[in-house]
Amino acid sequence: MEAKWIILLSTCWISCVAVNEFYSSTDHMIQLIDIKKKFVTCLHEYIEALEHQSDLLKRTLNAFENDFDDAPKDPEKFISNPLAAYQLVRKLSQVWPATLDLIEGRHAKDALENLRSTAQTLPSADDVEGVVMALIRLQEMYRLDPRNITLFSEINHNLRLDPDETFHIATISYLNQRFQYALLWMEETFRKLNKGEEAIVTKEEVLYQLASFSHQIQLSSGQDLTKGDLLQPALYKSLIESIKTWDWTAKYIPHFDSPVHSMDKAYEALCTGKKVMMTPQRERKLVCRYRTGRGNPLVLFKEEVEWDQPTILRYHDFLSEGEIDTIKTLARPKLSRAKAIDPVTGQKVSAASRVSKSAWLSEDEDPVITQINQRIADVTGLELETAEELQIANYGIGGQYEPHYDSKLTNDSDFQLRGGRISTVLIYMSDVDIGGATVFPVIGAALQPKRGTAVLWFNLLRNGDEDARTLHAACPVFVGNKWVANKWIRSHGQEFRRKCSAIKSD
């Protein structure tokens, strides 16, 4: 029975790999709490059904044994009696169908079907890998060693990773070729075992993996390994002895930084809170004011200048709480069925770089969408006939998006018909406790998510060229649930809405 259960659950997990992708949407992850409760209930029901089934089978066995309690002294004489023969054959012919009927009892079968159905909604091995890679992204961005991460969890949620779990994280990191982080998590496992924490994994296994990881890092760094490979006893013994002398009480485990490009450094610096100093003259331009709708003078907006070169504007109280709730309600069913995708291009992305799940909402679905689109038209003064539908995105664990241009799309089938993305309206539908900022590495701007606000910038200059200063990125979400809505407005139809210019700087 145990082996059958393992096969059953493994089959269910494999079948749901391509369906759930919980890790790519925080909102989808929240559903796991209810799924856990439902699965526990179904499992209890199935166990009760099996126990009832077992009781009935025991009764059948006892009755069968009582019927044939005493073996005849003379079997030949006994069986030659036609009445005795009839009785024996009849009872034996009935015992298996009766037993089979109990084994395949209706109640147990229904409970098993419920359990199978619930198992289809459980996370997959792919989800586990996705969460691990999210942890690695957070480590990489915020320069955290495993003890910082586990300490953070203990303070906020009273969670503690055991050695088997840290060993598993190290293994997944290694399989994804993140050797440096695999080594850090393996070091953490060894430290925990040295403290006497109970685990299935042994020190010997961890030591071997540590030696293997160290060896792989030397390979990836191009160090000279002509003396031999890891399988040679001398080298292996040397690595093991070296590992045993590491200072496990050190405040910070040695970190191995990989080379990064200057733009990546600027992106990481902004995500970790480093700010660009502005001149007093430029700071004076960062003002708050009331503005009428450019397309509708009867509409009033609370406008804040977030950046001056290029102009980035934030509009406060852009969405009401009711509108945010309506959008989430409309988007959730689509998000639960969606694959993790690139929120800008709409293309499916790899497990190592999952960022969010997205859904598109049209005006036909609810009057609220029509109202929001009209508000976007008012605040931008642009024509929305060629604009894309409102995109809703919910970021996953460690969800991020690396530096990119909204105006640059590969295989853009709508370019001839609609033109490039002249403008972006980014609406924040949640606050984010830690991380999740929208940053512009070229100019040094960092915009913090603020629920109900909308941010506007132009991707194209007035002469039609791409504005290189609008390179932007989404920092990894460390703590919180990040919801955003995007409206990308296309350039066709804007000829009389935004004046063109032949000057390169425009």
Side-chain angles (χ1 to χ4, degrees):
M1 181 61 72
E2 183 179 350
K4 289 182 178 178
W5 265 106
I6 292 172
I7 293 171
L8 168 64
L9 293 178
S10 298
T11 303
C12 290
W13 288 338
I14 291 169
S15 67
C16 67
V17 165
V19 178
N20 293 333
E21 292 184 349
F22 288 98
Y23 57 89
S24 53
S25 166
T26 305
D27 193 67
H28 202 182
M29 287 283 291
I30 295 170
Q31 299 174 26
L32 288 175
I33 298 170
D34 290 331
I35 289 173
K36 175 190 173 184
K37 292 178 182 177
K38 185 176 179 182
F39 186 78
V40 168
T41 300
C42 289
L43 192 53
H44 273 302
E45 290 174 353
Y46 184 57
I47 290 170
E48 289 173 2
L50 288 179
E51 288 173 346
H52 180 65
Q53 190 178 46
S54 176
D55 289 340
L56 292 176
L57 284 169
K58 286 176 182 177
R59 291 179 197 173
T60 302
L61 174 62
N62 291 334
F64 184 63
E65 287 177 336
N66 291 335
D67 282 340
F68 303 98
D69 194 22
D70 297 321
K73 295 178 181 178
D74 188 346
E76 186 176 346
K77 185 177 180 179
F78 174 80
I79 209 68
S80 65
N81 184 322
L83 294 180
Y86 161 74
Q87 201 175 54
L88 176 63
V89 171
R90 181 177 180 274
K91 288 180 178 178
L92 289 177
S93 69
Q94 290 177 338
V95 71
W96 174 241
T99 304
L100 185 62
D101 187 54
L102 288 175
I103 292 172
E104 297 179 348
R106 180 74 183 171
H107 186 58
K109 287 179 74 173
D110 289 345
L112 180 58
E113 285 305 311
N114 287 338
L115 191 61
R116 279 180 172 152
S117 176
T118 306
Q120 295 285 344
T121 64
L122 293 173
S124 67
D126 195 30
D127 280 298
V128 179
E129 180 179 341
V131 174
V132 170
M133 296 313 295
L135 279 173
I136 299 306
R137 282 200 300 272
L138 292 171
Q139 272 189 274
E140 193 170 30
M141 175 61 68
Y142 298 111
R143 293 293 186 260
L144 299 172
D145 71 79
R147 277 182 282 181
N148 290 143
I149 293 175
T150 53
L151 179 63
F152 176 83
S153 298
E154 290 166 14
I155 292 171
N156 286 270
H157 304 288
N158 198 28
L159 297 175
R160 186 183 296 274
L161 296 179
D162 62 40
D164 293 318
E165 289 170 326
T166 55
F167 181 81
H168 178 250
I169 293 173
T171 303
I172 295 296
S173 304
Y174 181 80
L175 292 175
N176 280 273
Q177 299 186 339
R178 306 306 293 271
F179 305 121
Q180 298 166 353
Y181 299 98
L183 180 57
L184 290 174
W185 282 102
M186 199 61 73
E187 289 172 348
E188 177 69 359
T189 304
F190 194 75
R191 187 183 68 82
K192 285 176 173 289
L193 292 176
N194 270 347
K195 285 172 61 181
E197 295 187 27
E198 293 184 4
I200 296 173
V201 67
T202 65
K203 285 186 180 181
E204 289 70 23
E205 290 177 272
V206 174
L207 283 171
Y208 180 82
Q209 293 297 337
L210 277 168
S212 175
F213 292 177
S214 300
H215 179 73
Q216 186 61 55
I217 288 175
Q218 289 176 332
L219 279 173
S220 62
S221 64
Q223 294 185 25
D224 183 15
L225 295 174
T226 54
K227 294 180 181 179
D229 57 40
L230 183 60
L231 297 178
Q232 291 184 355
L235 178 59
Y236 174 67
K237 184 177 180 181
S238 173
L239 284 168
I240 292 295
E241 292 304 316
S242 174
I243 290 166
K244 287 180 177 178
T245 63
W246 288 351
D247 181 9
W248 301 100
T249 62
K251 185 178 180 181
Y252 182 74
I253 299 173
H255 205 294
F256 301 89
D257 289 322
S258 17
V260 291
H261 299 295
S262 57
M263 195 53 63
D264 292 332
K265 286 183 178 178
Y267 163 48
E268 292 181 5
L270 289 168
C271 287
T272 52
K274 294 182 175 62
K275 296 182 179 180
V276 173
M277 298 299 295
M278 299 180 71
T279 62
Q281 292 82 357
R282 289 185 62 191
E283 282 188 344
R284 282 196 289 270
K285 297 179 182 179
L286 307 184
V287 297
C288 295
R289 60 203 174 199
Y290 284 100
R291 288 288 298 268
T292 57
R294 299 171 196 173
N296 185 350
L298 299 179
V299 179
L300 200 64
F301 292 101
K302 298 175 183 177
E303 184 181 81
E304 177 184 359
V305 182
E306 285 268 6
W307 205 258
D308 63 330
Q309 300 173 9
T311 301
I312 302 175
L313 303 172
R314 187 191 294 261
Y315 295 92
H316 295 267
D317 301 325
F318 193 78
L319 290 189
S320 68
E321 290 297 318
E323 288 170 333
I324 291 174
D325 291 341
T326 298
I327 290 173
K328 288 182 178 180
T329 300
L330 293 171
R332 278 192 174 106
K334 297 184 178 184
L335 290 172
S336 65
R337 299 189 299 269
K339 305 289 185 184
I341 59 99
D342 180 319
V344 175
T345 66
Q347 301 298 311
K348 196 171 184 297
V349 293
S350 65
S353 59
R354 304 284 186 185
V355 285
S356 69
K357 283 189 174 183
S358 297
W360 284 260
L361 301 180
S362 66
E363 293 189 353
D364 297 335
E365 297 181 65
D366 196 280
V368 165
I369 307 303
T370 304
Q371 295 169 13
I372 293 169
N373 282 340
Q374 182 58 55
R375 202 171 301 150
I376 290 171
D378 291 342
V379 82
T380 61
L382 297 176
E383 173 62 56
L384 297 192
E385 190 170 332
T386 58
E388 299 172 37
E389 289 184 344
L390 191 69
Q391 186 202 58
I392 313 303
N394 179 226
Y395 281 72
I397 306 297
Q400 68 172 42
Y401 197 81
E402 294 183 353
H404 64 283
Y405 292 99
D406 282 354
S407 54
K408 280 186 176 177
L409 291 175
T410 55
N411 303 319
D412 185 4
S413 57
D414 288 337
F415 182 79
Q416 294 298 327
L417 183 64
R418 298 184 179 186
R421 289 171 171 171
I422 189 173
S423 180
T424 295
V425 177
L426 173 61
I427 305 171
Y428 296 112
M429 298 193 296
S430 66
D431 298 316
V432 179
D433 296 329
I434 303 176
T438 305
V439 298
F440 293 74
V442 174
I443 59 176
L447 313 180
Q448 298 301 321
K450 185 175 180 181
R451 185 180 173 92
T453 66
V455 175
L456 163 68
W457 70 85
F458 285 89
N459 301 303
L460 302 179
L461 298 168
R462 289 185 179 274
N463 61 17
D465 291 341
E466 181 178 75
D467 190 341
R469 299 170 299 179
T470 61
L471 182 77
H472 61 285
C475 298
V477 177
F478 200 148
V479 179
N481 190 1
K482 184 179 179 181
W483 283 85
V484 298
N486 292 294
K487 189 72 173 180
W488 286 298
I489 303 173
R490 298 281 185 154
S491 60
H492 285 190
Q494 313 303 340
E495 293 81 4
F496 299 103
R497 297 282 184 170
R498 190 181 189 227
K499 292 181 180 180
C500 298
S501 172
I503 301 172
K504 286 188 175 183
S505 58
D506 289 348

